[in-house]
Amino acid sequence: MNSFKEHAKNFAEIFLHFLWPVSCPVCGRPAEIICPECAKKFFADEIINKKIESLEIFSAAWYHTSINKLISDFKYSGYRALCRPIGQAMANFFEKPKVDRLVPVPLHLKSDRKYNQALELAKGLSDVWKIEIFDDAEWSRIMPRRAGLEAAERMKLKSDSFIIPKNIHGLNVAIVDDVCTTGMTLLRFSQACETSGAYVRGAYTLATVSEY
Ligand SMILES: [Zn+2]
């Protein structure tokens, strides 16, 4: 019986792979972009919690681990489809916040990426948490790509670097981004949301840099 089941499962997997030729980059299982269980292997043992001024930041993984490879894959190699299942794994890792909207940090105007990885992660969080996404925020000016931005420059980042439409007014929100480096982008973005009348209840990132 078990062996029959196993065969049926293998057959189903081969069939799925034929229809949808992708496989999990971790375990190689066909028809999975990445299994949520595999995504979780990159996470720290416990939620990483930082506080910058009044903003609480929750992260799932340390940046300088094998998650780094995964992040660069989905940021620069266009593995857009990886973000959503990773976001779903994040949602199961964190405690669900009591908020009305998830607000991804917008993609830089100058970015050469075709999609916003923070938004793609937010979609995964939204799938599990059933919280709507607020994706109307924008950068107000052209900024250099964050990867090349020096820490000192980040410190100078002002909350008026963002345009947050007023329809965020009165909402409880959680901010979403892929990586927390100095936390300054998250802090300024949260202040911009608050200036537009939102109540920021924390920020959620996939990874965080340990020292800065
Ligand atoms: Zn897998």
Side-chain angles (χ1 to χ4, degrees):
M1 184 61 186
N2 275 344
S3 134
F4 173 75
K5 266 192 184 165
E6 199 58 34
H7 274 97
K9 190 169 165 274
N10 287 343
F11 181 75
E13 287 190 348
I14 290 163
F15 185 66
L16 271 170
H17 193 73
F18 178 71
L19 287 178
W20 191 22
V22 293
S23 55
C24 171
V26 182
C27 68
R29 208 177 135 198
E32 288 279 0
I33 293 154
I34 186 167
C35 325
E37 314 88 70
C38 287
K40 230 190 140 186
K41 285 179 193 158
F42 294 93
F43 293 176
D45 295 335
E46 290 178 349
I47 296 165
I48 303 160
N49 192 192
K50 282 183 183 177
K51 198 164 184 186
I52 298 178
E53 295 186 19
S54 61
L55 179 67
E56 278 216 84
I57 304 168
F58 305 94
S59 305
W62 293 107
Y63 186 69
H64 294 290
T65 59
S66 50
I67 196 124
N68 205 340
K69 163 85 174 65
L70 197 68
I71 289 171
S72 61
D73 273 355
F74 78 69
K75 247 182 162 169
Y76 301 112
S77 322
Y79 282 4
R80 177 179 184 161
L82 267 178
C83 299
R84 197 157 178 163
I86 291 171
Q88 292 168 352
M90 284 166 68
N92 292 320
F93 186 70
F94 296 125
E95 204 174 308
K96 180 183 171 181
K98 292 187 177 70
V99 296
D100 309 303
R101 297 288 185 278
L102 300 173
V103 189
V105 174
L107 186 63
H108 288 244
L109 299 172
K110 218 179 153 185
S111 174
D112 50 9
R113 266 179 272 138
K114 301 282 185 285
Y115 64 95
N116 180 3
Q117 73 285 353
L119 171 62
E120 297 303 312
L121 289 171
K123 287 178 187 170
L125 290 165
S126 175
D127 289 338
V128 178
W129 285 344
K130 311 292 179 208
I131 299 171
E132 272 182 59
I133 295 170
F134 179 93
D135 187 35
D136 297 335
E138 285 173 24
W139 287 84
S140 59
R141 61 187 81 140
I142 293 174
M143 299 287 292
R145 263 174 48 181
R146 267 184 294 176
L149 209 58
E150 292 299 317
E153 279 184 70
R154 286 169 196 252
M155 294 300 173
K156 284 189 282 179
L157 195 67
K158 304 261 173 52
S159 58
D160 69 359
S161 303
F162 301 96
I163 303 164
I164 319 282
K166 293 287 177 194
N167 57 341
I168 205 169
H169 191 275
L171 297 175
N172 287 292
V173 304
I175 289 164
V176 180
D177 207 357
D178 59 341
V179 182
C180 169
T181 309
T182 62
M184 210 38 68
T185 302
L186 289 170
L187 180 65
R188 296 300 179 229
F189 185 64
S190 84
Q191 288 167 341
C193 290
E194 283 172 344
T195 302
S196 289
Y199 305 99
V200 178
R201 303 304 185 195
Y204 294 80
T205 77
L206 170 59
T208 190
V209 175
S210 51
E211 284 173 74
Y212 48 80

